[in-house]
Amino acid sequence: MILYVYVGILGAIFASFVNVVVYRYPKGMQFVKGRSHCPYCHATLDWIAMTPILGWFICKGKCRYCHSTISLRYPLVETMGAVFMIMAVSCFGLTVQAICISIIFMVLLCIAWIDVDTLWISNDFLILLMILAVWLTFYQTNLSFMNHLLGSISAACPMLLLNLIVKDSFGGGDIKLMFICGWMLGMPCAVVADLIAVFSAGLYACYLLFCKRIKRYDHIAFGPFLCLGIVISMCYGMQLLEWYLLW
Ligand SMILES: [Zn+2]
């Protein structure tokens, strides 16, 4: 139990860096150097405001200097980072594989939230993901080369085909993302990830249509749903499939 608390804290700290990347990368800003500051008054944040998750609650969701509202998204991303890292360690133990998967989850968090803001998945993150996929392959002794390849094809090809029928139904970034992550997941988990993404995105789109927040032919970012599917399938893909087949 205490191990998971430590892992969760570590995940929240990493995800707080994800917040910095998501904010600065699309603006072309330097994200490795430079202290975090309030996006409104540009005051440098103190250690209380910078404490992952708790800082937002202590400051009541407001900047301590200019009292502008700070989005709930910051603690949300940090909580997701904590949960994802706990999932990785609980499924893969305290192993190098779990470390590699945790880093992959943080990159997916960056991709998902940048996609929410900009409807764009940068090739830089996809290249980073590809390097991590190659690293992860060394630990996936249960998956053969054929498994990996089938994972890539089964995850990316349906999207590619659908794009040929209905133009621009998916972005090129989404397809590249699924090709790389399909490799990581292998068969049949790659298909599970796709299905989770399609169902969750479908539900969300219905909700937005119902609330009249989008019109019928509007685009929504699909990347976050793919990332969600990948994370869940990476940890629980086989269990979900077994559960579904028994059911
Ligand atoms: Zn401020």
Side-chain angles (χ1 to χ4, degrees):
M1 188 64 202
I2 196 84
L3 168 74
Y4 290 133
V5 173
Y6 280 126
V7 170
I9 293 172
L10 209 61
I13 293 171
F14 287 147
S16 126
F17 180 63
V18 167
N19 272 327
V20 175
V21 175
V22 169
Y23 179 78
R24 294 187 188 180
Y25 181 83
K27 297 181 179 70
M29 291 161 71
Q30 165 77 263
F31 54 81
V32 182
K33 278 188 247 163
R35 290 283 303 273
S36 291
H37 54 73
C38 165
Y40 304 102
C41 68
H42 300 283
T44 306
L45 301 184
D46 58 14
W47 65 272
I48 297 176
M50 289 204 4
T51 308
I53 307 172
L54 293 179
W56 189 88
F57 289 97
I58 295 169
C59 301
K60 299 192 178 81
K62 289 188 192 314
C63 167
R64 278 147 59 96
Y65 305 97
C66 67
H67 304 288
S68 301
T69 306
I70 304 292
S71 170
L72 180 64
R73 191 171 119 169
Y74 293 98
L76 179 70
V77 172
E78 286 155 2
T79 309
M80 288 170 96
V83 172
F84 288 175
M85 211 159 145
I86 291 171
M87 279 165 66
V89 171
S90 74
C91 292
F92 299 94
L94 266 184
T95 56
V96 183
Q97 187 178 3
I99 295 172
C100 180
I101 288 172
S102 299
I103 301 171
I104 289 168
F105 286 176
M106 295 302 150
V107 177
L108 289 174
L109 262 181
C110 291
I111 289 176
W113 286 101
I114 291 176
D115 195 18
V116 168
D117 289 343
T118 62
L119 289 179
W120 166 62
I121 296 177
S122 156
N123 281 335
D124 293 345
F125 289 100
L126 292 174
I127 291 167
L128 182 59
L129 215 50
M130 209 146 69
I131 295 167
L132 290 165
V134 174
W135 181 25
L136 183 64
T137 309
F138 290 109
Y139 306 104
Q140 294 175 309
T141 42
N142 56 329
L143 290 176
S144 66
F145 176 80
M146 210 54 200
N147 267 134
H148 284 296
L149 193 65
L150 277 174
S152 279
I153 293 169
S154 61
C157 279
M159 293 165 78
L160 202 62
L161 286 176
L162 212 67
N163 241 11
L164 293 177
I165 301 165
V166 186
K167 207 171 171 293
D168 289 334
S169 37
F170 298 104
D174 294 332
I175 298 170
K176 285 183 262 181
L177 173 69
M178 275 328 278
F179 190 82
I180 299 165
C181 292
W183 174 275
M184 286 185 208
L185 293 164
M187 266 303 258
C189 288
V191 180
V192 177
D194 260 355
L195 289 176
I196 293 172
V198 168
F199 275 114
S200 52
L203 280 176
Y204 183 64
C206 286
Y207 162 76
L208 290 179
L209 278 171
F210 184 74
C211 300
K212 297 199 167 62
R213 301 233 318 247
I214 53 166
K215 292 192 200 78
R216 226 181 116 188
Y217 294 104
D218 283 351
H219 277 269
I220 60 164
F222 192 47
F225 300 98
L226 288 172
C227 293
L228 181 74
I230 295 160
V231 169
I232 295 175
S233 187
M234 182 78 88
C235 292
Y236 308 112
M238 285 314 275
Q239 282 104 309
L240 281 173
L241 203 66
E242 275 167 29
W243 171 77
Y244 176 76
L245 291 177
L246 281 174
W247 184 61

